[in-house]
Amino acid sequence: MCSHYQIPARERLKFMPGITALPPEVLQDMWPRKSGVFARRPLGWKPTPGDMGVRPVELVVGRWGLVSAKTTDLSIALKLSTFNARSETARTKHTFAHAWRMGQHCIIPAEAFYEPDWRTGRAVATRFTRADGGVMGVAGLWDVFTGSDGQEIVSYTMLTINADDHPLLNQYHQPGKEKRMIVVLPEANYDAWLDAPPEKSLDFMLAISPELLRAMPVLGT
């Protein structure tokens, strides 16, 4: 799982074709429940038959930690750890089921993500980046909760998969616990992920090749 990542600098947020406008400034150092940035199709947009041009993408500011549109008790929902969603069970879990069923896919731009390395017997924070220096696009879900007073909470979560057999990321997290990793999408799949129907969502839950990542321990941890 991932509980800490870095948003790219503002000038690097146009990480995929179709993004024309940048959102308001947000903090780059991201932790659960803070406001981050995700990319999605504009609401109400539909492709036209035969349209092969660049498809529009909007960058949206939202809470990192999904709050379902179907939430009945907001006070409880805001305390839950919903910044990651297990792709294997997201479609059946109350918090994530609505977003999954509606195909509310998003891509979270990340400069880096952090995981703990326990191989020395203590947690050593490790920073993962793309080996080529590019921005990572993490597969996620988004949703909007609307309260009885009209208050809206836009939020998102990162999708994760099992990493027990991943040559790199299986070395992280505590011994004896299941290894998990976020889904870093290939650039070639960005548009397809945003447009995919719910029944195709699991087709995109693939592990990134280890040679495409660079891992660096964070000094002083």
Side-chain angles (χ1 to χ4, degrees):
M1 64 185 296
C2 173
S3 61
H4 183 200
Y5 77 100
Q6 182 183 9
I7 295 175
R10 189 172 174 81
E11 63 271 15
R12 285 167 58 82
L13 277 177
K14 292 184 179 180
F15 68 100
M16 66 175 290
I19 298 174
T20 58
L22 295 176
E25 292 279 359
V26 294
L27 295 175
Q28 285 185 266
D29 195 42
M30 277 297 298
W31 295 89
R33 303 181 182 90
K34 287 189 174 183
S35 291
V37 177
F38 63 89
R40 71 180 181 192
R41 293 289 185 227
L43 297 181
W45 178 84
K46 298 291 184 184
T48 57
D51 181 10
M52 300 299 290
V54 175
R55 299 187 170 198
V57 179
E58 65 175 354
L59 292 175
V60 180
V61 174
R63 177 186 190 268
W64 186 28
L66 201 77
V67 178
S68 173
K70 301 299 184 181
T71 293
T72 56
D73 190 327
L74 183 60
S75 62
I76 292 177
L78 293 176
K79 296 176 184 177
L80 299 176
S81 296
T82 57
F83 50 92
N84 289 168
R86 297 173 66 95
S87 60
E88 302 92 335
T89 60
R91 64 187 180 277
T92 65
K93 297 296 183 180
H94 173 74
T95 299
F96 308 115
H98 177 261
W100 185 282
R101 186 172 63 250
M102 299 300 291
Q104 292 176 177
H105 298 161
C106 66
I107 302 175
I108 301 105
E111 190 71 35
F113 66 91
Y114 298 82
E115 297 291 0
D117 184 347
W118 283 85
R119 287 175 291 177
T120 62
R122 65 183 184 90
V124 177
T126 304
R127 187 175 190 263
F128 290 85
T129 59
R130 265 179 46 165
D132 64 3
V135 172
M136 290 180 282
V138 181
L141 301 171
W142 65 270
D143 214 341
V144 181
F145 166 81
T146 304
S148 57
D149 58 356
Q151 173 195 14
E152 285 192 346
I153 299 177
V154 180
S155 60
Y156 65 97
T157 188
M158 293 179 171
L159 288 161
T160 69
I161 55 176
N162 180 275
D164 285 344
D165 297 323
H166 192 269
L168 176 60
L169 284 158
N170 68 352
Q171 302 174 43
Y172 295 83
H173 298 297
Q174 287 178 277
K177 291 190 175 182
E178 181 192 8
K179 314 302 181 183
R180 303 291 300 178
M181 62 186 290
I182 54 176
V183 177
V184 180
L185 295 164
E187 292 180 1
N189 285 355
Y190 285 177
D191 279 312
W193 167 248
L194 290 182
D195 296 333
E199 62 270 19
K200 296 292 186 181
S201 297
L202 286 176
D203 294 349
F204 294 84
M205 300 297 100
L206 305 173
I208 186 172
S209 298
E211 63 270 15
L212 298 181
L213 290 174
R214 177 176 296 153
M216 293 290 293
V218 179
L219 297 180
T221 60

